[in-house]
Amino acid sequence: MEKYAVIGNPINHSLSPSMHNAAFRSEERDANYEAIQVSVEAFDAEIAHLLAGDFNGFNVTVPFKERIIPHLDELSPFAKRCGAVNTVIKADGKWLGDNTDGAGFMEGLHEIKAVTSEDRILIIGAGGASKAIYLALADASPQQLVIANRTVEKAAAMVQKTHEAWSLAKAEKYLADFTIIIQTTSIGLPASKNETPIQLTNLQAGTVVVDIIYNPAETAFLKQAKTKGAVIQNGLPMFSGQGALAYQRWTGHMPNLEVMKKKLLEELGGQSSL
């Protein structure tokens, strides 16, 4: 049996096992996918143990998308660009790191909005997922692209003078200037379900607001955005998109995406993009 897993901390909220196992069953593939919580403090020892085992591939989520890189043999060109890995593939005895977050995000965003040269985009957060999303959006050449982060220096290191790095306070002040706003931090997960990274007082109606969290289906951030008349989307389209691309990297073919989405909707009680 092929073995796959998602590693992270926390990981109990992840629906990756349900999504991938549904896809495996739909094509009668002898494979299983599980969630594994890895210690933040003992990460190096625990990941070395897992990579030495009999797994065929992994997904990587918060907070290990960057920390896993030294443990891998090679990186894809996109993973090198963003310095973060969300998909690990075993090939010829070597571990290869890839990143499907950027492409998965763009597929999801295009369900509600195609990025144009007129768009002014704000990304909140400068973590592993943010890097991939930032690069994918930068390739679309919007008019303005800003990363706002609690630590401005981290955002500045990501954009490297190509785009703008702001404080969260500045982002709050000029929120009305943006046509697309993307929340990429872990704020809004069950441990912080009532919190938001910024206040949306200055948000304009009609703005596209995306939170890449998919469980819960509606974070406090999206609830605030909805009351302001925004066009909102949760992280389910990105999640299923990046998962399907990871599946392709492992197996050599795309899964049945509708099967994956259906299973996710069942797990989330029928809610998807809101």
Side-chain angles (χ1 to χ4, degrees):
M1 175 183 284
E2 296 173 20
K3 292 177 60 178
Y4 301 91
V6 56
I7 61 171
N9 190 328
I11 202 61
N12 60 346
H13 67 281
S14 177
L15 296 182
S16 287
S18 295
M19 176 177 69
H20 284 288
N21 285 325
F24 288 143
R25 287 193 298 270
S26 73
E27 59 182 53
E28 299 182 347
R29 192 178 189 92
D30 188 19
N32 185 65
Y33 187 111
E34 62 183 300
I36 299 175
Q37 181 155 307
V38 176
S39 167
V40 173
E41 294 77 17
F43 173 79
D44 292 328
E46 292 187 17
I47 193 62
H49 177 73
L50 289 171
L51 293 176
D54 56 354
F55 284 91
N56 299 88
F58 295 91
N59 281 131
V60 185
T61 189
V62 176
F64 302 129
K65 292 184 179 187
E66 295 154 303
R67 288 186 65 182
I68 196 170
I69 290 176
H71 295 272
L72 305 176
D73 298 301
E74 296 178 25
L75 297 180
S76 71
F78 190 78
K80 286 181 180 178
R81 284 180 67 198
C82 64
V85 164
N86 81 322
T87 301
V88 181
I89 309 105
K90 193 172 188 178
D92 300 323
K94 292 185 177 181
W95 288 107
L96 312 178
D98 199 358
N99 194 306
T100 64
D101 280 333
F105 174 81
M106 294 301 288
E107 287 296 319
L109 179 61
H110 286 166
E111 292 181 9
I112 59 170
K113 175 76 169 72
V115 179
T116 73
S117 60
E118 301 300 313
D119 280 309
R120 299 176 302 281
I121 303 174
L122 171 67
I123 300 173
I124 302 168
S130 177
K131 290 184 179 181
I133 291 169
Y134 161 68
L135 288 172
L137 286 167
D139 288 344
S141 302
Q143 181 183 134
Q144 183 182 27
L145 184 53
V146 176
I147 296 182
N149 195 55
R150 180 175 55 84
T151 306
V152 180
E153 291 78 11
K154 188 173 183 180
M158 187 185 299
V159 300
Q160 296 182 343
K161 299 182 180 181
T162 304
H163 297 97
E164 299 173 71
W166 289 7
S167 67
L168 295 178
K170 184 175 180 179
E172 285 186 347
K173 182 178 180 181
Y174 294 102
L175 213 56
D177 293 348
F178 297 98
T179 57
I180 301 173
I181 297 169
I182 303 132
Q183 200 294 107
T184 72
T185 77
S186 60
I187 296 173
L189 288 172
S192 55
K193 64 180 181 180
N194 297 319
E195 300 176 25
T196 61
I198 63 172
Q199 294 301 308
L200 302 181
T201 305
N202 296 323
L203 182 68
Q204 291 293 303
T207 304
V208 171
V209 177
V210 181
D211 192 323
I212 68 169
I213 292 171
Y214 63 89
N215 186 18
E218 187 177 34
T219 60
F221 186 78
L222 286 184
K223 289 177 181 178
Q224 276 195 27
K226 186 163 65 173
T227 64
K228 301 289 289 185
V231 177
I232 66 174
Q233 183 185 69
N234 67 15
L236 185 61
M238 173 185 174
F239 180 65
S240 58
Q242 63 79 28
L245 291 170
Y247 191 106
Q248 180 188 42
R249 304 294 195 272
W250 296 325
T251 67
H253 67 274
M254 287 292 286
N256 186 327
L257 187 56
E258 291 309 309
V259 167
M260 299 172 83
K261 286 184 175 180
K262 181 180 179 181
K263 185 61 178 178
L264 290 172
L265 288 174
E266 289 176 1
E267 295 288 342
L268 293 170
Q271 294 176 286
S272 59
S273 301
L274 302 168

